[in-house]
Amino acid sequence: MASDTAPVQHFIRQIVREDVESGRQPSVRTRFPPEPNGHLHIGHAKAICLDFGIAAEFDGRCNLRLDDTNPGKELPEYVQGIQDDVHWLGFEWAELRHASDYFEVFYRAAEKLIRDGKAYVDDLNADEVRAYRGTLTEPGKDSPFRGRSVEENLDLFQRMRAGEFADGAKTLRAKIDMASGNMNLRDPAIYRIRKQTHQNTGDAWPIYPMYDFAHCLSDALEGITHSFCTLEFEDHRPLYDWFVDHVDLAGHPELWQPLVEAGIPTAPSKPRQIEFARGNLTYTVMSKRKLTQLVTEGLVDGWDDPRMPTLSGARRRGFPAAAMRAFWERMGVSKQNSNIDFGVLEACVRDELDAHAPRRMAVLDPLKLVLTNLPEGHQETVEFPNHPKDESLGKRDLPFSREVWIEREDFAEVPPKGFKRLIPEGEVRLRGIGIIRCDEVVKNDAGEVTELRCTLDPETRPGGNATDRKVKGTIHWVSAMHAVAAEVRLYDRLFEVENPGDERDGKTLKDYLNPEAKRVVQGYIEPAAADAEPEAHWQFERTGYFVADRHDHRPQRPVFNRTVGLRDTWARKGR
RNA sequence: UGGGGCGUAGCCAAGCGGUAAGGCACCGGGUUUUGAUCCCGGCAUGCGCAGGUUCGAAUCCUGCCGCCCCAGCCA
């Protein structure tokens, strides 16, 4: 996948480039390793773009690996969702793997550590382990089972695998250093007993490897050269290296013989873990717990609700994948915790859509306008370019008639200062038609404006001799006779505050929800917008960028979602 | 006197001993049949603070200060 903007310099790019140029790592292999226990969100897109992007940039390969070492939390539906999201973002993996593909290798590797005196079976229960671990400032104590013989450990571990012991009764632990300042090195668990059906391996295993053990060895087995992960794993790096070095897959082919037999090409590497900061966004939340809460409490309409920061939500909202990629490229990669202004993402979305979205006209809050100097029943078609700057997007015919819908807010009886639209006795340009003058304002008994009666200046019509006469404003319209009624869902930011995850002061997510984040209106669109394919992006002139809803849109019953409004210096001034 | 990270503008972020890129936001101005787009200009005598080394320091050294992560048989 080619990059969408000039690459931004960052430390990971630099490290990889140096590794390639020096010949240390002539070929680059990376992986994106999500746990299939939830939906991917915008933050994950940063990792996806990094993992797949760096591989592509250096002519390397990137695997998609599902890190499925904790059965019970992981579901096949999530692995499908993850694949869909990665594809949507525009990436293709070299190989799809599961950590569970390597369970037999992990088991053999654990046995090797036991034989080497580097691992032991511990009978301490979870509470006892915690008590023995010490605290951040005090060293831990050795488990009384730490000194078991290799033979006993091997026997016990084999019986763990055979399913002889109950869940939690025993663990296999690495024998490292109970006094280490790094808690991860205080004899971390390698295997735990969990008699739980696994989504891939069924009931073949009563024991499952821990992340620290499985992840680094999976990387090595896949020949990964650069293993990118987030900052909180920085402390795990010594352990990552410890397992890779002590298991020494490259020097012990017998450990991964099962993969060879299964026809899985394997050439173990010495991968290097490099940590970077996650990217947070203002006005949203990214934590699985909070996202789940939004869905389960019905605060949104599901995981792909267009207000959700999930990738499926962003997609349904109409954020183009190219904009998502450009956004993360623009943001760079560093080791600083950040809270990125949501406006930057919106700016990327507008950049992309301004360049590529064809224009259409739609009226979301209709007010009838009659051109009294046109004959009753008058109708004609007017040719419009689909894009003001890109002729390759072609032209279309737009029906025009004596009665049109205009946007209610484009008329004001009492105009605020600086108002450039239609006022009584005033003139404005009807986009693509000509200059009209408002002669009469019709109201109902309640005093509400129900209709505007105007005259069109024929000299200002295309081909006339006053086409370039200047008026302050231009407004959009849809021919009433030809308009197609449409449901338009106006989305906005889900939360009203920059940090909705902030639960200090006893506030919760619900206190910060933006009640205006979803408004559904019935509007009128020009016929050429109604035939939209689901997921087609449009700019409705002067109102914003919209996408035909992926699931609900039908040409007979159009449904559009507002992706993001146009930049609006007028509305901003008013606030 | 636990360990590991990070401090450059409102938000991101480059910078790698030679005198503070870029983007978003914001403020001016120009073009415009979208109050959009586009274009031009402005926006850190300053790089957490204090010392030191150097002809020269955001970059090197020392000491402080602030923020983040770690005590799952989660990932």
Side-chain angles (χ1 to χ4, degrees):
Chain A
M1 175 59 51
S3 67
D4 303 279
T5 55
V8 170
Q9 188 54 256
H10 60 69
F11 77 104
I12 288 183
R13 235 181 209 121
Q14 208 159 99
I15 289 170
V16 175
R17 185 184 309 119
E18 282 163 12
D19 282 350
V20 170
E21 287 175 355
S22 70
R24 235 183 340 265
Q25 298 286 12
S27 69
V28 172
R29 299 205 53 152
T30 60
R31 98 273 92 112
F32 173 58
E35 181 187 13
N37 70 341
H39 293 81
L40 262 26
H41 54 62
I42 296 174
H44 289 114
K46 179 178 186 177
I48 296 171
C49 291
L50 216 219
D51 290 328
F52 284 93
I54 289 288
E57 192 174 325
F58 292 92
D59 217 19
R61 290 152 63 83
C62 180
N63 286 351
L64 173 61
R65 181 170 71 233
L66 288 313
D67 218 338
D68 56 350
T69 55
N70 191 8
K73 283 192 168 182
E74 296 147 2
L75 270 22
E77 66 177 88
Y78 293 130
V79 346
Q80 190 54 53
I82 287 167
Q83 294 183 56
D84 293 346
D85 289 341
V86 172
H87 274 147
W88 171 71
L89 259 185
F91 297 107
E92 189 55 73
W93 44 89
E95 293 181 63
L96 176 67
R97 299 281 185 99
H98 288 78
S100 52
D101 296 340
Y102 313 134
F103 278 178
E104 185 60 36
V105 181
F106 299 152
Y107 180 78
R108 293 186 184 195
E111 282 188 327
K112 173 180 186 295
L113 289 180
I114 293 172
R115 269 186 256 107
D116 293 347
K118 304 279 188 206
Y120 63 97
V121 172
D122 197 349
D123 294 3
L124 257 28
N125 65 35
D127 288 337
E128 292 164 335
V129 166
R130 193 174 310 120
Y132 274 80
R133 186 154 33 225
T135 69
L136 292 178
T137 53
E138 300 156 27
K141 294 181 301 187
D142 286 0
S143 162
F145 303 97
R146 200 177 200 255
R148 293 218 254 229
S149 69
V150 167
E151 292 66 31
E152 187 181 5
N153 280 320
L154 230 31
D155 173 62
L156 256 14
F157 186 50
Q158 283 158 5
R159 288 163 59 192
M160 280 169 67
R161 175 184 196 170
E164 286 188 29
F165 308 112
D167 281 16
K170 288 179 168 31
T171 54
L172 181 70
R173 294 228 259 165
K175 192 185 287 189
I176 306 182
D177 177 10
M178 288 305 293
S180 173
N182 182 344
M183 297 297 266
N184 296 117
L185 266 21
R186 319 248 263 223
D187 289 10
I190 298 177
Y191 266 94
R192 76 285 213 180
I193 300 172
R194 184 156 302 182
K195 291 175 180 164
Q196 170 94 240
T197 302
H198 185 280
Q199 53 138 345
N200 261 353
T201 60
D203 295 319
W205 295 88
I207 56 174
Y208 291 94
M210 301 293 292
Y211 164 86
D212 284 305
F213 188 63
H215 194 84
C216 59
L217 295 182
S218 300
D219 282 346
L221 286 167
E222 291 175 27
I224 301 304
T225 54
H226 302 269
S227 178
F228 310 132
C229 65
T230 44
L231 251 29
E232 68 271 27
F233 292 103
E234 215 146 13
D235 303 351
H236 294 239
R237 194 181 343 124
L239 183 54
Y240 183 106
D241 291 334
W242 192 94
F243 282 133
V244 170
D245 292 340
H246 287 290
V247 169
D248 186 21
L249 289 163
H252 295 271
E254 71 279 7
L255 299 178
W256 38 278
Q257 187 59 31
L259 299 187
V260 176
E261 285 163 12
I264 299 175
T266 305
S269 59
K270 163 70 176 163
R272 173 175 174 186
Q273 175 178 302
I274 302 171
E275 311 84 10
F276 65 95
R278 325 170 95 106
N280 303 300
L281 284 175
T282 58
Y283 297 101
T284 191
V285 291
M286 255 15 143
S287 92
K288 188 170 312 177
R289 200 199 99 230
K290 297 188 175 104
L291 260 16
T292 302
Q293 183 190 350
L294 291 169
V295 174
T296 56
E297 294 188 16
L299 273 12
V300 294
D301 307 324
W303 287 97
D304 70 344
D305 184 298
R307 292 165 290 183
M308 288 285 276
T310 49
L311 292 181
S312 54
R315 174 179 183 175
R316 198 163 175 200
R317 174 73 168 265
F319 287 7
M324 190 66 68
R325 279 183 253 124
F327 169 67
W328 285 119
E329 181 58 41
R330 223 183 251 197
M331 287 305 91
V333 180
S334 76
K335 298 185 74 160
Q336 279 185 95
N337 294 315
S338 64
N339 202 16
I340 302 160
D341 187 340
F342 198 83
V344 181
L345 211 207
E346 293 177 333
C348 291
V349 169
R350 290 192 185 103
D351 274 1
E352 173 68 23
L353 260 13
D354 175 60
H356 303 295
R359 312 287 120 130
R360 290 292 183 268
M361 292 212 279
V363 172
L364 307 184
D365 184 11
L367 171 62
K368 173 143 318 166
L369 186 150
V370 181
L371 276 343
T372 54
N373 61 331
L374 257 31
E376 290 286 342
H378 173 83
Q379 56 174 307
E380 62 182 289
T381 56
V382 187
E383 191 179 60
F384 269 66
N386 285 327
H387 191 105
K389 283 182 291 192
D390 186 350
E391 288 185 19
S392 74
L393 260 30
K395 299 175 186 300
R396 71 186 186 282
D397 286 326
L398 191 57
F400 170 62
S401 61
R402 187 171 185 264
E403 296 189 359
V404 298
W405 296 111
I406 67 162
E407 210 71 67
R408 189 148 222 118
E409 64 168 26
D410 283 338
F411 171 78
E413 248 190 312
V414 185
K417 193 166 181 291
F419 192 74
K420 301 205 299 201
R421 283 106 97 146
L422 195 57
I423 59 175
E425 319 278 294
E427 285 187 321
V428 78
R429 183 179 296 278
L430 251 201
R431 172 115 239 237
I433 299 298
I435 295 174
I436 58 170
R437 177 192 155 80
C438 176
D439 306 312
E440 187 186 346
V441 178
V442 181
K443 297 183 184 177
N444 62 14
D445 295 343
E448 295 158 339
V449 178
T450 55
E451 181 180 307
L452 264 20
R453 301 183 70 81
C454 305
T455 44
L456 169 62
D457 177 357
E459 297 298 304
T460 60
R461 298 215 54 186
N465 40 32
T467 52
D468 53 356
R469 211 184 106 201
K470 300 289 178 212
V471 279
K472 282 227 177 60
T474 299
I475 64 173
H476 59 95
W477 53 274
V478 173
S479 166
M481 185 187 293
H482 310 274
V484 178
E487 174 176 326
V488 183
R489 300 167 179 168
L490 301 173
Y491 292 106
D492 203 345
R493 297 171 179 178
L494 221 203
F495 296 100
E496 298 180 304
V497 299
E498 282 199 15
N499 297 300
D502 187 347
E503 290 181 340
R504 283 175 297 191
D505 307 333
K507 301 264 194 186
T508 69
L509 279 192
K510 290 191 205 171
D511 298 314
Y512 300 128
L513 281 172
N514 174 13
E516 297 281 281
K518 179 183 183 185
R519 266 175 56 221
V520 180
V521 301
Q522 302 298 321
Y524 290 115
I525 62 177
E526 59 166 281
D531 324 312
E533 293 295 318
E535 292 200 85
H537 301 278
W538 309 99
Q539 183 196 103
F540 288 164
E541 293 207 33
R542 300 210 314 130
T543 86
Y545 296 100
F546 292 78
V547 67
D549 189 79
R550 211 182 145 189
H551 303 308
D552 302 335
H553 175 82
R554 300 283 180 284
Q556 310 74 28
R557 190 185 167 283
V559 178
F560 288 93
N561 301 328
R562 179 170 67 194
T563 303
V564 65
L566 254 30
R567 189 162 160 273
D568 189 345
T569 49
W570 168 243
R572 193 157 14 107
K573 223 169 272 179
R575 279 170 205 156

